[in-house]
């Protein structure tokens, strides 16, 4: 596989280093397909050589060793050329084996100096690195010391800092007793951010990304469940319908979408006593959060009565990483 990239560009260097490293004997990497990114994998031939296969790995494909993931936009594949920014490293294993201090530092050297919270690829990269940190058994305090920075040392790449934070969150969640976590947020004027970047320049795809972060956090946990409650607070752009479309399109689970206007239609005493009007103009975000909290307090879909029920609320955008919710569970339950 060849891509025409400028020499010395960090992205080009890292992509070529990944490709060349994977051709070593015993390495048979698969490459991840995410959100419209092209997928490749190396298929070992009977004579021992590796052949590049475009598309998802065929049936029965099993990597020989721990894979590194790299993705490139379909346009780059078609033209066989792409600017450095088009190459996104999804998961890195610089020399095979488990994560350790040296690999963490080497990984940081290849990471971007900023973080795009709206980029699904970077979100999955953060979670992938966090999983690798956990699997390695590295001391989380050592990871934090190496990445969080100090008065004399700069912090690591925000991508790596986020990964270390997510790893600590999942470790702490594992220590927490069984519980159900409800995440509430209000939606007003989200007609653009609820879409993907491909659909709108301000798109964040926040429904999809929030779910992916929570799925990763709670994966493998017994007796610990989660739910998202998104509340339309009288949005004139019909945020609830856009949210429902996003849920259906991505087949998202554990998502409940509420409409604050229903509180008025139902003459809900709590809200009527506080002056809720039919258009919800006197309420907006505050009323939406309260409606979500009331829903969370009154429903029991996932757990027995004795199971702790935690409720948190956040913004609809991606300013808060939902993979960090394990820190909240730990802070309350432990």
């Amino acid at each position: 596989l060849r891509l025409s990239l400028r020499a010395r560009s960090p992205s080009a260097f890292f992509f070529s280093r990944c490709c060349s490293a994977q051709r070593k004997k015993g390495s048979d990497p698969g490459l991840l397909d995410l959100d419209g990114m092209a997928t490749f994998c190396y298929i070992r031939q009977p004579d021992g050589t590796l052949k590049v296969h475009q598309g998802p790995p065929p049936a029965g494909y099993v990597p020989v060793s721990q894979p590194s993931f790299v993705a490139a936009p379909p346009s780059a594949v078609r033209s066989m050329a792409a600017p450095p920014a088009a190459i996104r490293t999804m998961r890195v294993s610089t020399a095979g084996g488990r994560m350790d201090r040296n690999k963490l530092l080497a990984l940081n050297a290849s990471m971007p100096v900023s973080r795009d919270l709206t980029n699904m690829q970077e979100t999955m990269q953060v979670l992938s690195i966090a999983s690798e940190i956990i699997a390695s058994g590295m001391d989380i305090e050592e990871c934090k010391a190496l990445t969080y920075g100090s008065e004399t040392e700069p912090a690591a790449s925000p991508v790596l800092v986020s990964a270390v934070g997510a790893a600590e969150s999942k470790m702490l969640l594992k220590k927490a007793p069984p519980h159900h976590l409800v995440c509430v947020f209000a939606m007003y004027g989200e007609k653009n951010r609820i879409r993907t970047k491909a659909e709108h320049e301000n798109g964040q795809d926040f429904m999809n990304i929030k779910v992916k972060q929570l799925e990763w956090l709670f994966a493998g946990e017994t007796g610990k469940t989660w739910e998202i409650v998104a509340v339309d607070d009288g949005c004139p752009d019909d945020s609830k319908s856009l949210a429902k479309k996003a849920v259906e399109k991505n087949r998202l689970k554990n998502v409940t979408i509420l409409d604050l206007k229903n509180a008025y239609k139902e003459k809900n005493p709590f809200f009527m006593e506080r002056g809720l009007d039919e258009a919800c103009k006197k309420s907006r975000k505050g009323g939406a959060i309260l409606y979500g909290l009331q829903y969370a307090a009154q429903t029991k879909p996932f757990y027995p009565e004795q199971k702790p029920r935690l409720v948190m609320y956040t913004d609809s955008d991606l300013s808060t990483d939902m993979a960090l919710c394990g820190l909240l569970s730990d802070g309350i339950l432990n």
Side-chain angles (χ1 to χ4, degrees):
L1 175 64
R2 295 175 126 192
L3 291 177
S4 275
L5 298 171
R6 293 184 184 217
R8 300 183 179 277
S9 92
S11 296
F13 169 74
F14 193 76
F15 181 77
S16 62
R17 183 173 66 174
C18 260
C19 287
S20 61
Q22 307 315 328
R23 290 185 172 86
K24 294 179 181 179
K25 184 177 181 180
S27 180
D28 191 6
L31 284 80
L32 190 63
D33 175 37
L34 282 172
D35 196 26
M37 302 300 284
T39 306
F40 299 91
C41 62
Y42 291 105
I43 306 297
R44 189 170 297 284
Q45 304 300 300
D47 62 2
T49 60
L50 295 178
K51 179 181 178 181
V52 175
H53 170 80
Q54 182 175 343
Y61 170 77
V62 179
V64 173
S65 64
Q66 186 182 36
S68 293
F69 296 128
V70 177
S75 58
V77 176
R78 286 193 295 271
S79 65
M80 300 308 287
I87 303 301
R88 308 297 301 184
T89 302
M90 299 310 303
R91 182 175 176 184
V92 185
S93 181
T94 56
R98 299 168 72 84
M99 180 74 75
D100 57 24
R101 178 189 179 93
N102 292 333
K103 288 182 183 176
L104 198 66
L105 294 174
L107 186 57
N108 180 54
S110 68
M111 292 283 100
V113 296
S114 62
R115 168 99 194 268
D116 182 357
L117 298 174
T118 70
N119 189 310
M120 173 65 84
Q121 302 154 42
E122 282 194 2
T123 294
M124 300 308 293
Q125 180 184 22
V126 165
L127 302 181
S128 178
I129 296 172
S131 294
E132 192 166 352
I133 291 172
I134 295 171
S136 73
M138 278 190 73
D139 180 70
I140 194 63
E141 294 302 321
E142 180 185 8
C143 293
K144 290 161 65 174
L146 290 170
T147 57
Y148 281 11
S150 65
E151 294 182 359
T152 58
E153 295 292 331
S157 163
V159 173
L160 194 54
V161 170
S162 296
V164 172
E168 181 181 31
S169 173
K170 191 170 178 67
M171 290 175 181
L172 291 174
L173 182 73
K174 187 172 291 292
K175 297 178 181 179
H179 62 280
H180 181 66
L181 176 67
V182 183
C183 304
V184 179
F185 61 87
M187 298 183 295
Y188 185 87
E190 299 296 348
K191 63 179 180 180
N192 296 331
R193 288 192 295 193
I194 203 167
R195 293 181 166 91
T196 65
K197 279 186 178 295
E199 295 169 332
H200 192 277
E201 60 180 354
N202 295 324
Q204 293 189 3
D205 198 16
F206 63 76
M207 293 293 294
N208 198 20
I209 288 181
K210 286 179 186 291
V211 168
K212 290 288 187 293
Q213 290 170 335
L214 286 168
E215 284 179 338
W216 174 85
L217 178 63
F218 281 82
E221 296 296 326
T222 301
K224 301 167 194 177
T225 51
W226 61 273
E227 176 185 11
I228 283 178
V229 177
V231 188
D232 183 318
D233 49 3
C235 176
D237 300 317
D238 195 17
S239 288
K240 64 180 180 295
S241 294
L242 294 173
K244 289 177 181 177
K245 289 180 181 179
V247 169
E248 293 172 359
K249 174 184 175 182
N250 297 289
R251 299 180 180 180
L252 304 180
K253 299 179 180 179
N254 299 9
V255 178
T256 298
I257 299 173
L258 303 179
D259 189 347
L260 182 58
K261 289 183 179 180
N262 288 335
Y264 181 86
K265 294 177 181 179
E266 299 162 359
K267 304 302 178 184
N268 187 305
F270 178 88
F271 293 93
M272 299 308 293
E273 291 170 4
R274 288 160 176 78
L276 179 68
D277 61 304
E278 186 173 7
C280 305
K281 289 184 177 180
K282 297 179 181 179
S283 173
R284 295 297 185 231
K285 185 174 182 179
I289 295 299
L290 290 172
Y291 196 43
L293 292 175
Q294 186 183 70
Y295 168 85
Q298 293 177 347
T299 57
K300 306 175 182 179
F302 296 103
Y303 45 82
E305 187 66 33
Q306 66 272 20
K307 186 175 180 178
R309 184 182 345 174
L310 308 183
V311 184
M312 59 87 73
Y313 67 88
T314 183
D315 290 334
S316 58
D317 63 20
L318 300 172
S319 56
T320 299
D321 188 335
M322 304 304 286
L324 300 179
C325 284
L327 302 174
L328 297 178
S329 296
D330 173 72
I332 295 172
L333 299 174
N334 292 338

